[in-house]
Coordinates of all heavy atoms in Angstrom, one line a residue:
M402 N 27.8 -39.3 19.6 CA 28.1 -39.5 21.0 C 29.1 -38.4 21.4 O 30.1 -38.1 20.7 CB 28.8 -40.9 21.1 CG 29.1 -41.3 22.5 SD 27.7 -41.7 23.5 CE 26.8 -42.9 22.5
Y403 N 28.8 -37.8 22.6 CA 29.7 -36.8 23.1 C 30.2 -37.3 24.5 O 29.6 -38.1 25.1 CB 29.0 -35.5 23.3 CG 28.9 -34.7 22.0 CD1 28.0 -34.9 21.1 CD2 29.8 -33.7 21.8 CE1 27.9 -34.2 19.9 CE2 29.8 -32.9 20.6 CZ 28.8 -33.2 19.7 OH 28.8 -32.5 18.5
Y404 N 31.3 -36.6 24.9 CA 32.0 -37.0 26.2 C 32.3 -35.7 27.0 O 32.6 -34.7 26.4 CB 33.3 -37.7 25.9 CG 33.1 -39.0 25.1 CD1 33.2 -38.9 23.7 CD2 32.9 -40.2 25.7 CE1 33.1 -40.1 22.9 CE2 32.7 -41.3 24.9 CZ 32.8 -41.3 23.6 OH 32.7 -42.4 22.8
V405 N 32.1 -35.8 28.3 CA 32.6 -34.8 29.2 C 33.9 -35.4 29.8 O 33.9 -36.6 30.2 CB 31.6 -34.5 30.3 CG1 32.2 -33.5 31.3 CG2 30.3 -33.9 29.7
Y406 N 35.0 -34.6 29.8 CA 36.2 -35.2 30.3 C 36.9 -34.2 31.3 O 36.6 -33.0 31.3 CB 37.2 -35.5 29.2 CG 37.6 -34.3 28.4 CD1 38.7 -33.5 28.7 CD2 36.8 -33.8 27.3 CE1 39.0 -32.4 27.9 CE2 37.1 -32.7 26.6 CZ 38.2 -32.0 26.9 OH 38.6 -30.9 26.2
M407 N 37.8 -34.8 32.1 CA 38.5 -34.0 33.1 C 40.0 -34.3 32.9 O 40.4 -35.5 32.9 CB 38.1 -34.3 34.5 CG 36.6 -33.9 34.8 SD 36.0 -34.5 36.4 CE 36.7 -33.3 37.4
L408 N 40.8 -33.3 32.8 CA 42.2 -33.4 32.7 C 42.9 -32.9 33.9 O 42.5 -31.9 34.5 CB 42.7 -32.6 31.5 CG 42.2 -32.9 30.1 CD1 42.8 -31.9 29.1 CD2 42.6 -34.3 29.7
R409 N 44.0 -33.5 34.3 CA 44.9 -33.0 35.3 C 46.0 -32.2 34.6 O 46.6 -32.7 33.7 CB 45.5 -34.1 36.1 CG 46.5 -33.7 37.1 CD 46.0 -33.4 38.5 NE 45.1 -34.5 38.9 CZ 44.3 -34.3 39.9 NH1 44.2 -33.1 40.6 NH2 43.5 -35.2 40.3
C410 N 46.3 -31.0 35.1 CA 47.3 -30.1 34.6 C 48.6 -30.3 35.4 O 48.5 -30.7 36.6 CB 46.9 -28.7 34.5 SG 45.5 -28.5 33.3
V411 N 49.7 -29.8 34.9 CA 51.0 -30.0 35.7 C 51.0 -29.2 37.0 O 51.7 -29.6 37.9 CB 52.2 -29.6 34.8 CG1 52.4 -30.5 33.7 CG2 52.1 -28.2 34.3
D412 N 50.1 -28.1 37.1 CA 50.1 -27.4 38.3 C 49.0 -27.9 39.3 O 48.6 -27.3 40.2 CB 49.8 -25.9 38.0 CG 48.5 -25.6 37.3 OD1 47.8 -26.6 36.9 OD2 48.2 -24.4 37.1
D413 N 48.5 -29.2 39.0 CA 47.5 -29.9 39.7 C 46.1 -29.3 39.7 O 45.2 -29.7 40.4 CB 47.9 -30.0 41.2 CG 47.3 -31.3 41.8 OD1 47.2 -32.3 41.2 OD2 46.9 -31.2 43.0
T414 N 45.8 -28.4 38.7 CA 44.5 -27.9 38.5 C 43.8 -29.0 37.6 O 44.4 -29.8 37.0 CB 44.5 -26.5 37.8 OG1 45.2 -26.6 36.6 CG2 45.1 -25.5 38.7
I415 N 42.4 -28.8 37.6 CA 41.6 -29.8 36.8 C 40.9 -29.0 35.7 O 40.2 -28.0 36.0 CB 40.6 -30.5 37.7 CG1 41.4 -31.3 38.7 CG2 39.7 -31.4 36.9 CD1 40.6 -31.9 39.8
Y416 N 41.0 -29.4 34.5 CA 40.3 -28.8 33.4 C 39.2 -29.7 33.0 O 39.3 -31.0 32.9 CB 41.2 -28.6 32.2 CG 40.5 -28.1 31.0 CD1 40.2 -26.7 30.8 CD2 40.1 -28.9 30.0 CE1 39.6 -26.3 29.7 CE2 39.5 -28.5 28.8 CZ 39.2 -27.1 28.7 OH 38.5 -26.7 27.6
T417 N 38.0 -29.2 32.7 CA 36.8 -29.9 32.2 C 36.4 -29.4 30.9 O 36.3 -28.2 30.7 CB 35.7 -29.8 33.3 OG1 36.1 -30.2 34.5 CG2 34.5 -30.7 32.9
G418 N 36.1 -30.4 30.0 CA 35.6 -30.0 28.6 C 34.7 -31.0 28.0 O 34.5 -32.1 28.6
I419 N 34.3 -30.8 26.8 CA 33.5 -31.8 26.1 C 34.1 -32.0 24.7 O 34.8 -31.1 24.2 CB 32.0 -31.3 25.9 CG1 31.8 -30.2 24.9 CG2 31.3 -31.1 27.2 CD1 30.4 -30.0 24.4
T420 N 33.8 -33.2 24.1 CA 34.3 -33.5 22.8 C 33.5 -34.7 22.2 O 32.8 -35.3 23.0 CB 35.8 -33.9 22.9 OG1 36.3 -34.1 21.6 CG2 36.0 -35.2 23.7
N421 N 33.7 -34.9 21.0 CA 33.1 -36.1 20.4 C 34.2 -37.1 20.0 O 33.9 -38.2 19.5 CB 32.2 -35.8 19.2 CG 32.9 -35.1 18.1 OD1 34.1 -34.8 18.2 ND2 32.3 -34.7 17.0
D422 N 35.4 -36.8 20.3 CA 36.6 -37.7 20.1 C 37.6 -37.5 21.2 O 38.4 -36.6 21.1 CB 37.2 -37.3 18.7 CG 38.3 -38.3 18.3 OD1 38.9 -39.0 19.1 OD2 38.5 -38.4 17.0
I423 N 37.6 -38.4 22.2 CA 38.4 -38.2 23.3 C 39.9 -38.3 23.0 O 40.7 -37.4 23.4 CB 38.1 -39.4 24.3 CG1 36.8 -39.1 25.0 CG2 39.2 -39.5 25.4 CD1 36.8 -38.0 26.0
K424 N 40.3 -39.2 22.2 CA 41.8 -39.4 21.8 C 42.3 -38.1 21.1 O 43.3 -37.6 21.5 CB 42.0 -40.6 21.0 CG 43.4 -40.9 20.7 CD 43.6 -42.2 19.9 CE 45.0 -42.4 19.6 NZ 45.2 -43.7 18.8
R425 N 41.6 -37.7 20.1 CA 42.0 -36.5 19.4 C 42.1 -35.3 20.3 O 43.0 -34.5 20.2 CB 41.0 -36.2 18.2 CG 41.3 -34.9 17.5 CD 40.2 -34.5 16.5 NE 38.8 -34.5 17.1 CZ 38.3 -33.5 17.9 NH1 39.0 -32.4 18.1 NH2 37.1 -33.6 18.3
R426 N 41.1 -35.1 21.1 CA 41.0 -33.9 22.0 C 42.2 -33.9 23.0 O 42.8 -32.8 23.2 CB 39.7 -33.8 22.7 CG 39.4 -32.5 23.3 CD 39.3 -31.4 22.3 NE 39.1 -30.1 23.0 CZ 39.8 -29.0 22.7 NH1 40.8 -29.0 21.8 NH2 39.6 -27.9 23.4
F427 N 42.5 -35.1 23.5 CA 43.6 -35.1 24.5 C 44.9 -34.7 23.8 O 45.7 -34.0 24.4 CB 43.7 -36.5 25.1 CG 44.7 -36.6 26.2 CD1 44.7 -35.8 27.3 CD2 45.7 -37.5 26.1 CE1 45.7 -35.8 28.3 CE2 46.7 -37.6 27.1 CZ 46.7 -36.8 28.2
I428 N 45.1 -35.2 22.6 CA 46.3 -34.9 21.9 C 46.4 -33.4 21.6 O 47.4 -32.8 21.7 CB 46.4 -35.7 20.5 CG1 46.6 -37.2 20.9 CG2 47.4 -35.2 19.6 CD1 46.4 -38.1 19.7
E429 N 45.2 -32.8 21.3 CA 45.2 -31.4 21.0 C 45.6 -30.6 22.3 O 46.3 -29.6 22.2 CB 43.8 -30.9 20.6 CG 43.5 -31.4 19.2 CD 42.0 -31.1 18.8 OE1 41.2 -30.7 19.6 OE2 41.7 -31.3 17.6
H430 N 45.2 -31.1 23.5 CA 45.5 -30.4 24.7 C 47.0 -30.5 25.0 O 47.6 -29.7 25.7 CB 44.7 -31.0 25.9 CG 43.3 -30.5 25.9 ND1 43.0 -29.1 26.1 CD2 42.1 -31.1 25.8 CE1 41.7 -29.0 26.2 NE2 41.1 -30.2 26.0
L431 N 47.6 -31.6 24.6 CA 49.0 -31.8 24.9 C 50.0 -31.0 24.1 O 51.2 -30.9 24.4 CB 49.4 -33.3 24.7 CG 48.8 -34.3 25.7 CD1 49.1 -35.7 25.3 CD2 49.2 -34.0 27.1
R432 N 49.5 -30.4 23.0 CA 50.4 -29.6 22.1 C 50.9 -28.4 23.0 O 50.2 -27.8 23.7 CB 49.6 -29.0 20.9 CG 49.3 -30.2 20.0 CD 48.9 -29.6 18.7 NE 50.0 -28.8 18.1 CZ 50.0 -28.5 16.9 NH1 49.0 -28.8 16.0 NH2 51.0 -27.7 16.4
K433 N 52.2 -28.2 22.8 CA 52.9 -27.2 23.7 C 53.1 -25.9 23.0 O 53.4 -24.9 23.7 CB 54.2 -27.8 24.1 CG 54.1 -29.1 24.9 CD 55.1 -29.2 25.9 CE 55.1 -30.5 26.7 NZ 53.9 -31.2 26.9
D434 N 52.9 -25.8 21.7 CA 53.1 -24.6 21.0 C 51.8 -23.7 21.1 O 50.8 -24.2 21.4 CB 53.5 -24.8 19.5 CG 52.4 -25.5 18.8 OD1 51.5 -26.1 19.4 OD2 52.4 -25.4 17.5
N435 N 52.0 -22.4 21.0 CA 50.9 -21.5 21.1 C 50.7 -20.8 19.8 O 50.6 -19.6 19.7 CB 51.2 -20.5 22.3 CG 50.0 -19.7 22.7 OD1 48.9 -20.0 22.2 ND2 50.1 -18.7 23.5
T436 N 50.6 -21.6 18.8 CA 50.4 -21.1 17.4 C 48.9 -21.1 17.0 O 48.1 -21.6 17.7 CB 51.2 -21.9 16.4 OG1 50.6 -23.2 16.3 CG2 52.7 -22.0 16.7
K437 N 48.6 -20.5 15.9 CA 47.3 -20.5 15.4 C 46.8 -21.9 15.1 O 45.6 -22.2 15.1 CB 47.1 -19.6 14.2 CG 47.3 -18.2 14.5 CD 47.1 -17.3 13.3 CE 47.2 -15.8 13.7 NZ 47.1 -15.0 12.5
K438 N 47.7 -22.8 14.8 CA 47.4 -24.2 14.5 C 47.0 -25.0 15.7 O 46.4 -26.1 15.7 CB 48.6 -24.9 13.8 CG 48.8 -24.4 12.4 CD 50.0 -25.1 11.8 CE 50.3 -24.6 10.4 NZ 51.4 -25.3 9.8
S439 N 47.4 -24.6 16.9 CA 47.1 -25.3 18.2 C 45.6 -25.2 18.4 O 45.0 -24.1 18.4 CB 47.9 -24.6 19.3 OG 47.6 -25.3 20.5
K440 N 45.0 -26.4 18.7 CA 43.6 -26.4 19.0 C 43.3 -26.7 20.4 O 42.1 -27.0 20.8 CB 42.9 -27.5 18.0 CG 43.0 -27.1 16.6 CD 42.3 -28.1 15.7 CE 42.4 -27.6 14.3 NZ 41.8 -28.5 13.4
G441 N 44.3 -26.7 21.3 CA 44.1 -26.9 22.7 C 43.3 -25.7 23.3 O 43.3 -24.6 22.7
A442 N 42.7 -25.9 24.4 CA 42.0 -24.8 25.1 C 43.0 -23.8 25.6 O 44.2 -24.1 25.9 CB 41.2 -25.4 26.3
K443 N 42.6 -22.6 25.6 CA 43.5 -21.5 26.1 C 44.0 -21.8 27.5 O 45.2 -21.6 27.8 CB 42.6 -20.2 26.1 CG 43.4 -19.0 26.4 CD 42.5 -17.7 26.3 CE 43.3 -16.5 26.4 NZ 42.4 -15.3 26.3
Y444 N 43.2 -22.4 28.3 CA 43.6 -22.8 29.7 C 44.7 -23.8 29.7 O 45.7 -23.6 30.4 CB 42.4 -23.3 30.5 CG 42.7 -23.6 31.9 CD1 42.6 -22.5 32.9 CD2 43.2 -24.8 32.4 CE1 42.9 -22.7 34.2 CE2 43.5 -25.0 33.7 CZ 43.4 -24.0 34.6 OH 43.7 -24.2 35.9
T445 N 44.6 -24.8 28.9 CA 45.6 -25.9 28.9 C 46.9 -25.5 28.1 O 47.9 -26.1 28.3 CB 45.1 -27.2 28.3 OG1 44.6 -27.0 27.0 CG2 44.0 -27.8 29.2
L446 N 46.8 -24.4 27.3 CA 48.0 -23.9 26.7 C 48.9 -23.2 27.8 O 50.1 -23.3 27.8 CB 47.7 -22.9 25.6 CG 47.2 -23.4 24.3 CD1 46.8 -22.3 23.4 CD2 48.3 -24.3 23.7
A447 N 48.2 -22.6 28.8 CA 48.9 -21.9 29.9 C 49.3 -22.9 31.0 O 50.3 -22.7 31.7 CB 48.1 -20.8 30.4
H448 N 48.5 -23.9 31.3 CA 48.6 -24.8 32.4 C 49.1 -26.2 32.1 O 49.3 -27.0 33.0 CB 47.3 -24.9 33.2 CG 46.9 -23.6 33.8 ND1 47.2 -23.2 35.0 CD2 46.2 -22.5 33.2 CE1 46.7 -22.0 35.3 NE2 46.1 -21.6 34.2
K449 N 49.3 -26.5 30.8 CA 49.9 -27.8 30.3 C 49.2 -29.0 30.9 O 49.4 -29.4 32.0 CB 51.4 -27.9 30.6 CG 52.2 -26.7 30.1 CD 52.1 -26.5 28.6 CE 53.0 -25.3 28.2 NZ 52.4 -24.5 27.2
A450 N 48.3 -29.6 30.1 CA 47.7 -30.8 30.5 C 48.7 -32.0 30.6 O 49.6 -32.0 29.8 CB 46.6 -31.2 29.5
K451 N 48.5 -32.9 31.6 CA 49.4 -34.0 31.7 C 48.7 -35.3 31.7 O 49.3 -36.3 31.4 CB 50.3 -33.8 32.9 CG 49.6 -34.0 34.2 CD 50.7 -34.0 35.4 CE 50.0 -34.2 36.7 NZ 50.9 -34.3 37.8
K452 N 47.5 -35.4 32.1 CA 46.8 -36.7 32.3 C 45.3 -36.6 32.2 O 44.7 -35.7 32.7 CB 47.2 -37.2 33.7 CG 46.6 -38.5 34.1 CD 47.0 -38.9 35.5 CE 46.4 -40.1 36.0 NZ 46.7 -40.4 37.4
M453 N 44.7 -37.6 31.5 CA 43.3 -37.7 31.4 C 42.8 -38.4 32.7 O 43.2 -39.5 33.0 CB 42.9 -38.5 30.2 CG 41.4 -38.8 30.1 SD 40.4 -37.3 29.6 CE 41.0 -37.1 27.9
E454 N 42.0 -37.7 33.5 CA 41.6 -38.3 34.8 C 40.3 -39.1 34.6 O 40.0 -40.0 35.4 CB 41.3 -37.2 35.8 CG 42.6 -36.5 36.3 CD 43.4 -37.4 37.2 OE1 43.1 -38.6 37.4 OE2 44.4 -37.0 37.8
G455 N 39.5 -38.8 33.7 CA 38.2 -39.5 33.5 C 37.4 -38.9 32.4 O 37.6 -37.7 32.1
F456 N 36.5 -39.7 31.9 CA 35.5 -39.1 30.9 C 34.2 -39.9 31.0 O 34.2 -41.0 31.5 CB 36.0 -39.2 29.5 CG 36.4 -40.5 29.0 CD1 35.4 -41.3 28.3 CD2 37.6 -41.0 29.1 CE1 35.7 -42.5 27.8 CE2 38.0 -42.3 28.6 CZ 37.0 -43.0 28.0
W457 N 33.1 -39.2 30.7 CA 31.8 -39.7 30.8 C 31.0 -39.5 29.5 O 31.1 -38.5 28.9 CB 31.1 -39.0 32.0 CG 31.8 -39.3 33.2 CD1 31.5 -40.3 34.1 CD2 32.9 -38.6 33.8 NE1 32.4 -40.3 35.2 CE2 33.2 -39.3 35.0 CE3 33.6 -37.5 33.4 CZ2 34.3 -38.8 35.8 CZ3 34.7 -37.1 34.2 CH2 35.0 -37.7 35.4
E458 N 30.3 -40.6 29.1 CA 29.6 -40.6 27.8 C 28.3 -39.9 28.0 O 27.6 -40.1 29.0 CB 29.4 -42.1 27.4 CG 29.4 -42.3 26.0 CD 29.4 -43.8 25.7 OE1 28.2 -44.4 25.7 OE2 30.4 -44.4 25.6
C459 N 27.9 -39.1 27.0 CA 26.6 -38.4 26.9 C 25.9 -38.7 25.6 O 26.6 -38.9 24.6 CB 26.8 -36.9 27.1 SG 27.5 -36.4 28.7
E460 N 24.6 -38.8 25.6 CA 23.8 -39.1 24.4 C 24.0 -38.1 23.3 O 24.0 -38.4 22.1 CB 22.4 -39.3 24.8 CG 22.1 -40.5 25.6 CD 20.6 -40.7 25.9 OE1 19.8 -40.1 25.1 OE2 20.2 -41.4 26.8
N461 N 24.1 -36.8 23.7 CA 24.1 -35.8 22.7 C 24.9 -34.6 23.2 O 25.2 -34.5 24.4 CB 22.7 -35.4 22.2 CG 21.8 -35.0 23.4 OD1 22.2 -34.2 24.3 ND2 20.6 -35.6 23.5
R462 N 25.1 -33.6 22.4 CA 25.8 -32.4 22.7 C 25.2 -31.6 23.8 O 25.8 -31.1 24.7 CB 26.0 -31.5 21.5 CG 27.0 -30.4 21.7 CD 27.3 -29.7 20.4 NE 28.4 -28.8 20.5 CZ 28.3 -27.5 20.9 NH1 27.1 -26.9 21.0 NH2 29.4 -26.7 21.0
S463 N 23.9 -31.5 23.8 CA 23.1 -30.8 24.8 C 23.3 -31.3 26.2 O 23.6 -30.6 27.1 CB 21.6 -30.8 24.4 OG 20.9 -30.1 25.4
S464 N 23.2 -32.6 26.3 CA 23.4 -33.2 27.7 C 24.9 -33.1 28.1 O 25.1 -33.0 29.3 CB 22.9 -34.7 27.7 OG 23.6 -35.5 26.8
A465 N 25.8 -33.2 27.2 CA 27.2 -33.0 27.5 C 27.5 -31.6 28.0 O 28.2 -31.4 29.0 CB 28.1 -33.3 26.3
L466 N 26.9 -30.6 27.3 CA 27.1 -29.2 27.8 C 26.5 -29.0 29.2 O 27.1 -28.3 30.0 CB 26.4 -28.3 26.8 CG 27.2 -28.1 25.5 CD1 26.3 -27.4 24.4 CD2 28.5 -27.4 25.7
K467 N 25.4 -29.6 29.5 CA 24.7 -29.5 30.8 C 25.6 -30.1 31.9 O 25.8 -29.5 32.9 CB 23.3 -30.1 30.8 CG 22.3 -29.3 30.0 CD 21.0 -29.9 29.9 CE 20.1 -29.1 29.0 NZ 18.8 -29.9 28.7
L468 N 26.1 -31.3 31.6 CA 27.0 -32.0 32.5 C 28.3 -31.2 32.7 O 28.8 -31.0 33.9 CB 27.3 -33.4 32.1 CG 28.2 -34.2 33.0 CD1 27.7 -34.3 34.4 CD2 28.4 -35.6 32.4
E469 N 28.9 -30.7 31.6 CA 30.1 -29.9 31.7 C 29.9 -28.6 32.6 O 30.7 -28.3 33.5 CB 30.6 -29.4 30.4 CG 31.8 -28.5 30.4 CD 32.0 -27.8 29.1 OE1 31.1 -27.6 28.3 OE2 33.2 -27.5 28.8
C470 N 28.8 -28.0 32.4 CA 28.4 -26.8 33.2 C 28.3 -27.1 34.7 O 28.8 -26.4 35.5 CB 27.1 -26.2 32.7 SG 26.7 -24.6 33.5
F471 N 27.6 -28.3 35.0 CA 27.5 -28.7 36.3 C 28.8 -29.0 37.0 O 29.1 -28.5 38.1 CB 26.6 -30.0 36.4 CG 26.5 -30.6 37.7 CD1 25.7 -30.1 38.7 CD2 27.3 -31.7 38.1 CE1 25.6 -30.6 40.0 CE2 27.2 -32.3 39.3 CZ 26.4 -31.7 40.3
V472 N 29.7 -29.7 36.3 CA 31.0 -30.1 36.8 C 31.9 -28.8 37.1 O 32.6 -28.7 38.1 CB 31.7 -31.1 35.9 CG1 33.2 -31.3 36.4 CG2 31.0 -32.4 35.9
K473 N 31.8 -27.9 36.1 CA 32.7 -26.7 36.2 C 32.3 -25.9 37.5 O 33.1 -25.1 38.0 CB 32.6 -25.9 35.0 CG 33.4 -26.5 33.8 CD 33.4 -25.6 32.6 CE 34.5 -26.1 31.6 NZ 34.6 -25.1 30.5
K474 N 31.1 -26.0 37.9 CA 30.6 -25.2 39.1 C 31.1 -25.9 40.4 O 31.0 -25.3 41.5 CB 29.1 -25.1 39.1 CG 28.7 -24.1 38.0 CD 27.2 -24.0 38.0 CE 26.7 -23.1 36.9 NZ 25.2 -23.0 36.8
L475 N 31.6 -27.1 40.4 CA 32.0 -27.8 41.6 C 33.3 -27.3 42.1 O 34.1 -26.7 41.4 CB 32.1 -29.3 41.3 CG 30.9 -30.1 40.8 CD1 31.2 -31.5 40.5 CD2 29.8 -30.0 41.9
S476 N 33.5 -27.5 43.4 CA 34.8 -27.1 44.0 C 35.8 -28.1 43.6 O 35.5 -29.2 43.1 CB 34.7 -27.1 45.5 OG 34.5 -28.4 46.0
K477 N 37.1 -27.8 43.8 CA 38.2 -28.7 43.4 C 38.1 -30.0 44.3 O 38.3 -31.1 43.8 CB 39.6 -28.1 43.6 CG 40.7 -29.0 43.2 CD 42.0 -28.3 43.0 CE 43.0 -29.1 42.4 NZ 43.6 -30.2 43.1
Y478 N 37.7 -29.8 45.5 CA 37.5 -31.0 46.4 C 36.4 -31.9 45.8 O 36.6 -33.2 45.8 CB 37.1 -30.5 47.8 CG 36.8 -31.7 48.7 CD1 37.8 -32.4 49.3 CD2 35.4 -32.0 48.9 CE1 37.5 -33.5 50.2 CE2 35.1 -33.1 49.8 CZ 36.1 -33.8 50.4 OH 35.8 -34.9 51.2
Q479 N 35.3 -31.4 45.3 CA 34.2 -32.2 44.8 C 34.7 -32.9 43.5 O 34.4 -34.0 43.2 CB 33.0 -31.3 44.5 CG 32.3 -30.9 45.8 CD 31.3 -29.8 45.6 OE1 31.5 -28.9 44.8 NE2 30.1 -30.0 46.2
K480 N 35.5 -32.2 42.7 CA 36.0 -32.7 41.4 C 36.9 -33.9 41.7 O 36.9 -34.9 41.1 CB 36.7 -31.7 40.6 CG 35.8 -30.6 40.0 CD 36.5 -29.6 39.3 CE 35.6 -28.4 38.9 NZ 36.3 -27.3 38.2
E481 N 37.8 -33.7 42.8 CA 38.7 -34.8 43.2 C 37.9 -36.0 43.6 O 38.3 -37.2 43.3 CB 39.6 -34.3 44.3 CG 40.6 -33.2 43.9 CD 41.7 -33.7 43.0 OE1 41.8 -34.9 42.6 OE2 42.6 -32.8 42.6
K482 N 36.8 -35.8 44.3 CA 36.0 -37.0 44.7 C 35.4 -37.7 43.5 O 35.3 -38.9 43.5 CB 34.8 -36.5 45.7 CG 35.3 -36.0 47.0 CD 36.0 -37.1 47.7 CE 35.2 -37.5 49.0 NZ 35.9 -38.5 49.8
I483 N 34.9 -37.0 42.5 CA 34.4 -37.6 41.3 C 35.5 -38.4 40.6 O 35.2 -39.5 40.2 CB 33.8 -36.5 40.4 CG1 32.6 -35.9 40.9 CG2 33.6 -37.1 39.0 CD1 32.1 -34.7 40.2
I484 N 36.7 -37.9 40.6 CA 37.8 -38.6 39.9 C 38.1 -39.9 40.7 O 38.3 -40.9 40.1 CB 39.0 -37.6 39.8 CG1 38.8 -36.5 38.8 CG2 40.3 -38.4 39.5 CD1 39.8 -35.4 38.9
Q485 N 38.1 -39.8 42.0 CA 38.4 -41.0 42.8 C 37.3 -42.0 42.6 O 37.6 -43.2 42.5 CB 38.5 -40.6 44.3 CG 39.8 -39.9 44.6 CD 41.0 -40.7 44.3 OE1 41.1 -41.9 44.6 NE2 42.0 -40.0 43.7
N486 N 36.1 -41.6 42.5 CA 35.0 -42.6 42.3 C 35.0 -43.2 40.9 O 34.4 -44.3 40.7 CB 33.6 -41.9 42.6 CG 33.5 -41.6 44.1 OD1 34.1 -42.3 45.0 ND2 32.7 -40.6 44.4
A487 N 35.6 -42.5 40.0 CA 35.6 -43.0 38.6 C 36.7 -44.1 38.4 O 36.6 -44.8 37.4 CB 35.9 -41.8 37.6
K488 N 37.6 -44.2 39.3 CA 38.7 -45.2 39.2 C 38.3 -46.5 39.8 O 37.5 -46.7 40.5 CB 40.0 -44.6 39.8 CG 40.5 -43.4 39.0 CD 41.7 -42.9 39.6 CE 42.2 -41.7 38.8 NZ 43.4 -41.1 39.2

């Protein structure tokens, strides 16, 4: 099982990614150090993730990657609408 997730960063930007373990991945994004041990995304190391806005379950990695690609192409306004509808 894979997930597509959206994180809110401290500068109010939205990061989208995929994982097979939501809890572990969110913790990785919260790490504040920029060492080789840090497994957070390069983007969230610079923009500091603060909140999980939502996640969606996918059957496999392929479908998760397709959904992630689709979401990443959306405008910030469209991403905000998705987040609002998920709550």
Side-chain angles (χ1 to χ4, degrees):
M402 188 68 54
Y403 278 83
Y404 303 89
V405 174
Y406 61 93
M407 296 172 82
L408 299 176
R409 174 89 51 196
C410 296
V411 294
D412 62 355
D413 205 37
T414 58
I415 299 170
Y416 174 82
T417 305
I419 70 165
T420 187
N421 59 0
D422 185 339
I423 288 287
K424 185 177 179 180
R425 173 191 52 81
R426 192 65 180 131
F427 184 58
I428 291 168
E429 289 173 352
H430 282 298
L431 291 176
R432 289 195 61 166
K433 302 214 181 333
D434 60 343
N435 196 6
T436 65
K437 291 181 181 179
K438 292 181 182 179
S439 179
K440 294 183 180 180
K443 189 176 184 180
Y444 187 87
T445 57
L446 286 172
H448 297 265
K449 308 296 182 223
K451 71 174 181 179
K452 179 181 176 185
M453 177 72 69
E454 289 288 6
F456 60 91
W457 298 268
E458 213 171 87
C459 296
E460 290 182 23
N461 53 49
R462 188 171 193 269
S463 177
S464 60
L466 286 168
K467 288 175 186 172
L468 179 57
E469 177 194 29
C470 183
F471 174 79
V472 171
K473 284 186 171 186
K474 290 179 182 177
L475 298 175
S476 68
K477 184 164 191 288
Y478 175 80
Q479 291 169 315
K480 292 176 188 178
E481 294 287 0
K482 290 299 242 183
I483 290 171
I484 290 167
Q485 286 301 317
N486 291 334
K488 293 181 179 180

